[in-house]
Amino acid sequence: MTGITRTVGLATGAALAGLALAGPAAAQEAAGVAPETQYIFNTLSFLVHGFLVMWMAAGFAMLEAGLVRKRSVGTQLLKNVALYSLAGIMFYLVGYNLMYAGVDGGWFGSFAVWAPSDSTDYAALVEDGSAYASASDWFFQMVFVATAASIVSGVLAERIRVWPFLLFTAVLTGLFYPITGAWQWGGGWLSELGFSDFAGSTLVHSVGGWAALAGALLLGPRKGKYGPGGAVNPMLGSSLPLATIGTLILWLGWFGFNGGSQLAMGSGADAAAIATIYVNTNLAAAGGVLAAMILCEILYKKIDLTFVLNGAIAGLVSITAEPLMPSPGLAVLIGAVGGAIVVLAVPLLDRLRIDDVVGAIPAHLLAGIWGTIAVPLSNGDTSFATQAAGILAIGAFTFLASLLVWAAIKATVGLRIAEEDEEAGIDQVELGMEAYPEFGPGLAH
Amino acid sequence: MTGITRTVGLATGAALAGLALAGPAAAQEAAGVAPETQYIFNTLSFLVHGFLVMWMAAGFAMLEAGLVRKRSVGTQLLKNVALYSLAGIMFYLVGYNLMYAGVDGGWFGSFAVWAPSDSTDYAALVEDGSAYASASDWFFQMVFVATAASIVSGVLAERIRVWPFLLFTAVLTGLFYPITGAWQWGGGWLSELGFSDFAGSTLVHSVGGWAALAGALLLGPRKGKYGPGGAVNPMLGSSLPLATIGTLILWLGWFGFNGGSQLAMGSGADAAAIATIYVNTNLAAAGGVLAAMILCEILYKKIDLTFVLNGAIAGLVSITAEPLMPSPGLAVLIGAVGGAIVVLAVPLLDRLRIDDVVGAIPAHLLAGIWGTIAVPLSNGDTSFATQAAGILAIGAFTFLASLLVWAAIKATVGLRIAEEDEEAGIDQVELGMEAYPEFGPGLAH
Amino acid sequence: MTGITRTVGLATGAALAGLALAGPAAAQEAAGVAPETQYIFNTLSFLVHGFLVMWMAAGFAMLEAGLVRKRSVGTQLLKNVALYSLAGIMFYLVGYNLMYAGVDGGWFGSFAVWAPSDSTDYAALVEDGSAYASASDWFFQMVFVATAASIVSGVLAERIRVWPFLLFTAVLTGLFYPITGAWQWGGGWLSELGFSDFAGSTLVHSVGGWAALAGALLLGPRKGKYGPGGAVNPMLGSSLPLATIGTLILWLGWFGFNGGSQLAMGSGADAAAIATIYVNTNLAAAGGVLAAMILCEILYKKIDLTFVLNGAIAGLVSITAEPLMPSPGLAVLIGAVGGAIVVLAVPLLDRLRIDDVVGAIPAHLLAGIWGTIAVPLSNGDTSFATQAAGILAIGAFTFLASLLVWAAIKATVGLRIAEEDEEAGIDQVELGMEAYPEFGPGLAH
């Protein structure tokens, strides 16, 4: 349904949607909706679904603010507002065209500032598969980049300084994300290989996770998090209500994330596909929630709410690679496996002494891998081998390139706040203010 | 405008909208918008309005988290996330078809897992009144079920255990709500009687309220809530900002709740009807707010914010049974009566020693009854007698069936946490964690 | 594209959008989208963008609750819920028709209660430029009035009593805002002069700012805010997470604020214009964030999050007068200047001993002036002289009329709570309750 953006994944999606609905839809569709009306619907889908994904910026900000300690809340909020802003500017200056302009089976597009280019020959645009306002497409793609950067922010919380973090964010959103994005959604080599990632389990969520993992390894854990002899010191998040509203914002935003990735709403088949995507997205999140709850109850006889929230997110990430083709029941199961991954992997990371403050590596990276691997369960045009190839290629590139940049930043301007400042907290150092100045120090934990 | 779902209410709504707009709209409409375009608009209305209603899950979660004591906030959040997840799965497995499949004037539909069924013969779909993606309809109906369950969650807060609550939720969302829903929106006996409930003052809000009331009676009040000699011990909510953002989320979501219940947006008349519904919905909430404020000022010389927030909700519930036909001025008045009900009924419940933690019984059950009774004020096709009959039938069924299930759960796995655990709070028992671990115990109240 | 509402601004906008897209769009558009379909799209744009702006009520409530001290949070929340409610009712009773009915080059419209007036002759409506449901237009215009009133609420926080504040709100939303609105968007004398304010940098944001400034002068600062010898006593806001989610809600809502102000979505050119507006709106906010951060770092070596949040808002306000014509790069710059204004002007206000609790005067009034002045940078149909004339006329009227009303209220029922009550806080006086009753008094600051 679309020309440049997400070419292969899209064409596949639309075609399959047509098949799923049975019948000679194609011809009828072309006849059924006037070209200019199609253009409006497609543009509207990008805008409405785009603002839902933009809203995920608030979701990440609240989730992460709720899961860090009180002393770090202000900085976490600042980083989220700043990264969303910076991601947009970088994607405008470099990212978009690097990802989408003339990739043509290759490795990346061109280095050029993005500029809107619109035509009013709607019939020709429909013919070309690009019947939407170019600015609406840019807006929708931009909010995806920001999502990847948000994931990094959570993992490295409470110890990374603001400006070095933003330096990395600029590279991630201007270069790394667009490059691997070009391989697939830009119509590059990976898409020609037959890899499929409908809305970004790998291209967005795992990319964020890999970049964060590289950073976490170089940054090291928070002071006092791990003691001698494998001891893990729990550092409880400051506010479960914030973490919960953050998660529910993400859930809402995900209808935009997956639904908008149909990239068109100008035909009945596209509208029906979006509706199916909404249902599957919701059911996968529900599956993630219930699986995490049940597993918590079995393992711990209590239900840790943070596992449940990350279970919802993992369910959402899991269905993101293929939200259209699964039956509702399969969607529940795919999400449930995602939820289980969270409960099992969070303690594992602690055993490896990787300090992932908000649990984003299980929820985004591991569930993203699972979701991408699971695509062939419902999408017959894909294979486990190709899916694995895409996961490996994107993972290896993102992890190694990120490691390099993190190391360069560490070696030059440095990454962490001073060790002696960690007790007072990063907010004192970076902001000179407290998130809740009137609420006192509370009890020591 | 639609076939199976909400048949009578809908057909009425669309017809009246046509009348309200005057003129020979019907023929012109059919000619004016191409069938496939109608299909896209109708589907889009279900999706956009559906995601607004989904967002109400966050509204209930925040409202309830703000109105319970700090020690219970985590559990309240968990229950809201869990019930929304479970409601979706139960409605998929049982509820939808029980409510909508082949009710045909009877008492309930069929027992069958829901499956999407789509056609691309858009002209025939328009003819049939079902020109929308079946998945979009499912999504929209599903978020309504979850709303009913959310109401229960608030009333029983701070003392009901998580799993027994979810057991009841499964029955409510899989069986009880769909059965009474079938009577009316599924095209059952009550709809043939002439009962009218546009968006669910009775079918959603009172149903939730009746189920909660039954639970509250069997569960009993929180320990220490009521003292000897009629003493009422105020147990203040933990956070007014959370309660407020929760209420404003509900207000926003209600545009979806009522607007989407037009069930169509594929004609100018339908679009105009939705616009009218938005205006009336907003004005009714405003009326509820101002009435609650003024009444508070008169009675107490202070303005209790929780009354004002519940006044907004009561205003919204009141207009839900008929948001299309009233003039703007009447909408304000209908909402204002709802707001007054809250201020007057909350103390009454305390006198009856019914511990409704969040004030949901006045705001949802009583205002829901008022709103349903008020339908004939603006809708000439209804009568007070028929409205009363519907209220009584649905109320009696839901209350008694719920009482039975609550009693069965109480007699088997039990409902409450142990009395000796209530001081420490339910979060310690069910989650093993605190909602705000770093904020200390605060002052005793 | 529209008849009565925002006539001039609109026609200009649509025409320019057509030019920007190049080509013989006009004829093709009329042919391309059927009249009734146009009507649905236009109505839908008002509704979707309108609910986004309605959501800004929650944004202001949270932002202001986060920026006042704990003792004033409940009252601040109440005022925001109440003003939104009251604004709707006043705009229904007086404001709408005063602003839009028969202004015809003059100073104001007619005094009459608003009533919907709909036709189903869609072709004639298209011809007339008013192909939308009248209720959808009312809804969209109404949420703008509420925005202006929200700005006042923040500036005067912590010391103004609830009912006097609402009295002023009634006058502002029923009379003052509609009158200056009539001058421009109602098709009055200012629009004939050639003034341009696409979505309300001046008509909404500066109007709110001027009204608030007048109030702040008469109300005086909070007790203890300014000491002898120019000492400024910082009174830190209670919750940065609330301030942040409030800001991000505003950011989201602004896509509705600016995007919906295209006032039409029934043609490809309109849809493309809305998409461009989304992009520019987002980039201006991003520019405001980064400029505020960089300037903070340079001036203070720390990054004050409240400056950054107000920087985002100032960026948004700055682009609001002309979100369509600037290139993306210019949008970043316009927003960046807005962000810089905040960092520079907040201390200035303190030096003038004007106690603007939330920083709204820099973010809304000053950035609104800047944004309006900047229109000719990209819109060749405007001039700096005309823009300045509009700013002065609207500013002078709003400031003086507001001053008069504030003075009258002060002289009669009074404005402030008693001085001896300020230590305990306004919540005790007005609500008789605390916003966070279980969180203790915290540390003195």
Side-chain angles (χ1 to χ4, degrees):
Chain A
M1 183 61 240
T2 29
I4 295 171
T5 55
R6 303 195 187 180
T7 321
V8 172
L10 258 248
T12 309
L16 291 169
L19 283 177
L21 292 167
Q28 192 181 342
E29 276 170 50
V33 184
E36 189 170 355
T37 302
Q38 285 190 46
Y39 179 93
I40 300 171
F41 274 128
N42 292 338
T43 299
L44 181 62
S45 176
F46 278 137
L47 295 179
V48 169
H49 291 122
F51 75 61
L52 287 179
V53 183
M54 177 272 159
W55 183 225
M56 291 172 72
F60 282 108
M62 293 303 118
L63 175 65
E64 296 174 11
L67 293 181
V68 301
R69 289 172 298 171
K70 204 165 61 167
R71 70 191 71 169
S72 311
V73 167
T75 304
Q76 203 59 25
L77 295 166
L78 172 64
K79 283 194 305 183
N80 273 278
V81 172
L83 76 86
Y84 176 77
S85 303
L86 185 59
I89 290 177
M90 290 307 299
F91 202 61
Y92 157 61
L93 291 177
V94 191
Y96 184 89
N97 279 330
L98 189 58
M99 184 157 166
Y100 287 116
V103 181
D104 207 14
W107 292 76
F108 52 85
S110 61
F111 282 88
V113 174
W114 173 77
S117 73
D118 283 303
S119 147
T120 55
D121 185 347
Y122 301 111
L125 289 172
V126 166
E127 195 70 26
D128 181 51
S130 58
Y132 48 77
S134 62
S136 69
D137 168 51
W138 184 87
F139 179 69
F140 186 72
Q141 306 300 338
M142 178 272 294
V143 289
F144 275 64
V145 192
T147 298
S150 297
I151 295 163
V152 181
S153 155
V155 174
L156 309 179
E158 303 213 43
R159 57 222 198 267
I160 194 167
R161 283 162 48 214
V162 172
W163 293 110
F165 168 76
L166 289 179
L167 196 55
F168 180 82
T169 299
V171 178
L172 178 69
T173 59
L175 292 179
F176 296 165
Y177 173 99
I179 287 172
T180 49
W183 298 356
Q184 176 68 14
W185 290 343
W189 67 272
L190 195 54
S191 72
E192 302 206 333
L193 203 70
F195 180 67
S196 178
D197 185 5
F198 193 92
S201 286
T202 288
L203 270 80
V204 181
H205 294 278
S206 288
V207 159
W210 287 116
L213 180 62
L217 293 176
L218 280 181
L219 191 63
R222 285 168 291 176
K223 186 183 172 188
K225 174 70 185 174
Y226 302 113
V232 177
N233 177 20
M235 292 177 164
L236 302 173
S238 51
S239 171
L240 292 184
L242 288 184
T244 303
I245 196 171
T247 302
L248 290 171
I249 291 171
L250 293 176
W251 195 324
L252 170 61
W254 232 287
F255 296 113
F257 203 92
N258 288 355
S261 292
Q262 176 69 13
L263 305 189
M265 197 175 60
S267 70
D270 282 314
I274 295 173
T276 300
I277 290 167
Y278 272 49
V279 170
N280 283 342
T281 299
N282 193 73
L283 286 175
V289 163
L290 294 181
M293 283 183 72
I294 292 168
L295 209 54
C296 267
E297 182 69 39
I298 292 172
L299 293 178
Y300 305 110
K301 309 289 172 220
K302 309 252 178 197
I303 309 167
D304 184 322
L305 179 56
T306 66
F307 280 142
V308 176
L309 300 178
N310 270 323
I313 296 169
L316 290 161
V317 171
S318 301
I319 201 69
T320 292
E322 184 51 79
L324 177 60
M325 300 303 295
S327 68
L330 182 58
V332 174
L333 290 178
I334 288 172
V337 172
I341 286 172
V342 161
V343 178
L344 299 174
V346 166
L348 194 72
L349 279 173
D350 269 339
R351 225 162 314 147
L352 296 171
R353 300 193 154 222
I354 297 170
D355 187 11
D356 172 6
V357 177
V358 304
I361 289 174
H364 294 275
L365 174 52
L366 300 184
I369 292 173
W370 153 243
T372 309
I373 281 290
V375 171
L377 296 181
S378 63
N379 184 337
D381 286 355
T382 60
S383 77
F384 292 110
T386 321
Q387 295 302 98
I391 292 166
L392 283 175
I394 291 175
F397 172 82
T398 305
F399 181 75
L400 293 174
S402 297
L403 206 60
L404 214 73
V405 172
W406 285 123
I409 298 174
K410 188 175 181 179
T412 52
V413 294
L415 282 174
R416 279 184 83 120
I417 58 170
E419 198 184 328
E420 61 270 24
D421 288 333
E422 275 197 61
E423 199 52 46
I426 194 167
D427 285 4
Q428 294 297 342
V429 187
E430 297 287 85
L431 276 63
M433 62 200 302
E434 290 174 56
Y436 303 98
E438 292 179 285
F439 286 83
L443 294 183
H445 262 79
Chain B
M1 183 59 241
T2 31
I4 295 173
T5 57
R6 303 194 188 182
T7 320
V8 172
L10 254 246
T12 310
L16 291 168
L19 284 177
L21 292 166
Q28 192 182 342
E29 277 170 50
V33 183
E36 187 170 357
T37 301
Q38 286 190 45
Y39 179 93
I40 299 172
F41 275 127
N42 292 338
T43 299
L44 180 62
S45 176
F46 278 137
L47 295 179
V48 169
H49 291 120
F51 75 61
L52 287 179
V53 183
M54 178 272 160
W55 183 224
M56 291 172 72
F60 283 108
M62 293 303 117
L63 175 65
E64 297 175 9
L67 292 181
V68 300
R69 290 172 296 172
K70 204 166 62 168
R71 69 189 75 168
S72 312
V73 167
T75 304
Q76 203 59 25
L77 296 165
L78 171 64
K79 283 194 306 184
N80 273 279
V81 172
L83 77 85
Y84 177 77
S85 303
L86 185 60
I89 290 177
M90 289 307 299
F91 203 61
Y92 157 61
L93 290 176
V94 190
Y96 184 89
N97 278 330
L98 188 59
M99 184 159 167
Y100 287 116
V103 180
D104 206 16
W107 293 76
F108 52 85
S110 61
F111 282 89
V113 174
W114 173 77
S117 71
D118 283 303
S119 148
T120 55
D121 185 348
Y122 301 110
L125 289 172
V126 166
E127 194 71 26
D128 180 52
S130 58
Y132 47 76
S134 62
S136 70
D137 168 51
W138 184 88
F139 179 69
F140 186 70
Q141 306 301 339
M142 179 273 293
V143 289
F144 275 63
V145 191
T147 299
S150 298
I151 295 162
V152 182
S153 154
V155 173
L156 309 180
E158 304 214 45
R159 57 220 197 268
I160 195 168
R161 283 161 47 213
V162 172
W163 292 110
F165 169 75
L166 290 179
L167 195 56
F168 180 82
T169 300
V171 177
L172 178 70
T173 59
L175 292 179
F176 296 165
Y177 173 99
I179 286 173
T180 51
W183 299 356
Q184 177 67 14
W185 289 343
W189 68 272
L190 195 54
S191 72
E192 302 206 333
L193 202 71
F195 181 67
S196 177
D197 185 5
F198 193 92
S201 286
T202 288
L203 271 81
V204 181
H205 294 279
S206 288
V207 159
W210 288 117
L213 180 61
L217 292 176
L218 281 180
L219 191 62
R222 286 168 290 177
K223 186 183 173 186
K225 175 70 185 172
Y226 301 113
V232 176
N233 177 20
M235 292 178 163
L236 302 174
S238 51
S239 170
L240 291 184
L242 288 185
T244 304
I245 195 172
T247 302
L248 290 170
I249 291 171
L250 292 176
W251 194 325
L252 170 61
W254 231 287
F255 297 114
F257 203 92
N258 288 356
S261 292
Q262 178 68 14
L263 305 190
M265 198 174 61
S267 71
D270 283 313
I274 295 174
T276 300
I277 291 168
Y278 272 51
V279 170
N280 283 341
T281 298
N282 193 73
L283 286 174
V289 163
L290 295 181
M293 284 183 72
I294 292 168
L295 210 54
C296 267
E297 182 69 39
I298 292 171
L299 294 177
Y300 305 111
K301 310 287 172 221
K302 309 253 178 194
I303 309 167
D304 184 322
L305 179 57
T306 65
F307 280 140
V308 177
L309 299 178
N310 270 323
I313 295 169
L316 290 161
V317 171
S318 301
I319 201 69
T320 293
E322 184 50 79
L324 178 59
M325 301 302 297
S327 67
L330 181 59
V332 174
L333 289 179
I334 288 172
V337 172
I341 286 172
V342 161
V343 178
L344 299 173
V346 165
L348 194 73
L349 279 173
D350 269 339
R351 225 163 313 146
L352 297 171
R353 300 193 154 224
I354 296 169
D355 187 11
D356 172 5
V357 177
V358 303
I361 289 174
H364 293 275
L365 173 52
L366 300 184
I369 292 173
W370 153 244
T372 309
I373 282 290
V375 171
L377 296 181
S378 64
N379 184 338
D381 287 355
T382 60
S383 78
F384 293 112
T386 321
Q387 294 302 99
I391 291 167
L392 283 175
I394 291 176
F397 173 82
T398 305
F399 181 75
L400 293 174
S402 297
L403 207 60
L404 214 74
V405 171
W406 285 124
I409 298 175
K410 189 176 180 179
T412 52
V413 294
L415 282 175
R416 280 184 82 120
I417 58 168
E419 199 185 323
E420 62 269 24
D421 287 333
E422 275 197 59
E423 200 52 45
I426 193 165
D427 285 4
Q428 294 297 339
V429 186
E430 297 286 84
L431 276 64
M433 62 200 302
E434 290 174 56
Y436 302 99
E438 291 178 285
F439 286 83
L443 294 183
H445 261 81
Chain C
M1 183 59 239
T2 31
I4 295 172
T5 57
R6 304 194 186 181
T7 321
V8 172
L10 255 245
T12 309
L16 291 168
L19 284 176
L21 292 166
Q28 192 181 343
E29 275 170 52
V33 183
E36 188 170 355
T37 301
Q38 285 190 46
Y39 178 94
I40 299 171
F41 275 128
N42 292 339
T43 299
L44 181 62
S45 176
F46 278 136
L47 295 179
V48 169
H49 291 121
F51 76 59
L52 287 179
V53 183
M54 178 272 159
W55 184 226
M56 291 172 72
F60 283 108
M62 293 303 117
L63 175 65
E64 297 174 11
L67 292 181
V68 301
R69 291 172 296 171
K70 203 165 62 167
R71 68 189 76 170
S72 312
V73 167
T75 304
Q76 204 58 27
L77 295 166
L78 172 64
K79 284 194 304 183
N80 273 280
V81 172
L83 76 84
Y84 176 77
S85 303
L86 185 60
I89 290 177
M90 290 306 300
F91 203 61
Y92 156 62
L93 291 175
V94 190
Y96 184 88
N97 279 329
L98 189 59
M99 184 158 166
Y100 287 116
V103 180
D104 206 14
W107 293 76
F108 51 86
S110 61
F111 282 89
V113 174
W114 173 78
S117 71
D118 282 303
S119 146
T120 54
D121 185 348
Y122 302 111
L125 289 171
V126 166
E127 195 69 25
D128 181 52
S130 58
Y132 47 77
S134 62
S136 70
D137 169 50
W138 184 87
F139 180 69
F140 186 71
Q141 305 301 338
M142 179 272 295
V143 289
F144 274 63
V145 192
T147 298
S150 298
I151 295 162
V152 181
S153 154
V155 173
L156 309 179
E158 305 214 43
R159 57 222 198 266
I160 195 168
R161 282 163 48 215
V162 173
W163 293 110
F165 168 76
L166 290 179
L167 196 55
F168 180 82
T169 300
V171 177
L172 178 70
T173 58
L175 293 179
F176 296 166
Y177 173 99
I179 287 171
T180 51
W183 298 356
Q184 177 67 16
W185 290 343
W189 67 272
L190 195 53
S191 72
E192 301 205 333
L193 203 72
F195 180 66
S196 178
D197 186 5
F198 193 91
S201 286
T202 288
L203 271 81
V204 181
H205 295 278
S206 288
V207 159
W210 287 116
L213 180 61
L217 293 176
L218 280 181
L219 191 63
R222 286 168 290 177
K223 186 181 172 186
K225 173 69 185 176
Y226 302 113
V232 176
N233 177 20
M235 293 178 164
L236 301 174
S238 51
S239 171
L240 292 184
L242 288 184
T244 304
I245 196 172
T247 302
L248 291 170
I249 291 171
L250 293 175
W251 196 322
L252 170 61
W254 232 286
F255 296 113
F257 203 93
N258 288 356
S261 292
Q262 177 68 13
L263 305 189
M265 198 175 61
S267 71
D270 283 313
I274 295 173
T276 300
I277 291 167
Y278 272 51
V279 169
N280 283 342
T281 298
N282 193 73
L283 286 174
V289 164
L290 294 181
M293 283 183 71
I294 292 168
L295 209 54
C296 266
E297 182 69 38
I298 291 171
L299 294 177
Y300 305 111
K301 310 287 171 224
K302 309 251 178 197
I303 309 167
D304 184 321
L305 179 57
T306 67
F307 280 141
V308 177
L309 300 178
N310 269 323
I313 295 169
L316 291 161
V317 171
S318 301
I319 200 69
T320 293
E322 184 49 76
L324 178 59
M325 301 303 296
S327 68
L330 181 58
V332 174
L333 290 178
I334 288 172
V337 172
I341 286 172
V342 162
V343 178
L344 300 174
V346 166
L348 194 71
L349 278 174
D350 269 339
R351 226 164 311 148
L352 297 170
R353 299 193 156 223
I354 296 169
D355 186 10
D356 172 6
V357 177
V358 304
I361 289 174
H364 293 276
L365 173 52
L366 301 184
I369 292 173
W370 154 243
T372 310
I373 281 290
V375 171
L377 297 182
S378 63
N379 183 338
D381 286 355
T382 61
S383 78
F384 293 111
T386 321
Q387 295 301 98
I391 292 166
L392 283 175
I394 290 175
F397 173 81
T398 305
F399 180 76
L400 293 174
S402 297
L403 206 59
L404 214 72
V405 171
W406 285 123
I409 298 174
K410 187 176 181 180
T412 52
V413 293
L415 281 174
R416 278 184 84 121
I417 57 170
E419 199 185 324
E420 61 269 26
D421 288 333
E422 274 197 60
E423 199 52 46
I426 194 166
D427 285 4
Q428 294 298 338
V429 186
E430 297 287 84
L431 276 62
M433 63 200 302
E434 290 174 55
Y436 303 98
E438 293 178 284
F439 287 82
L443 294 184
H445 260 80

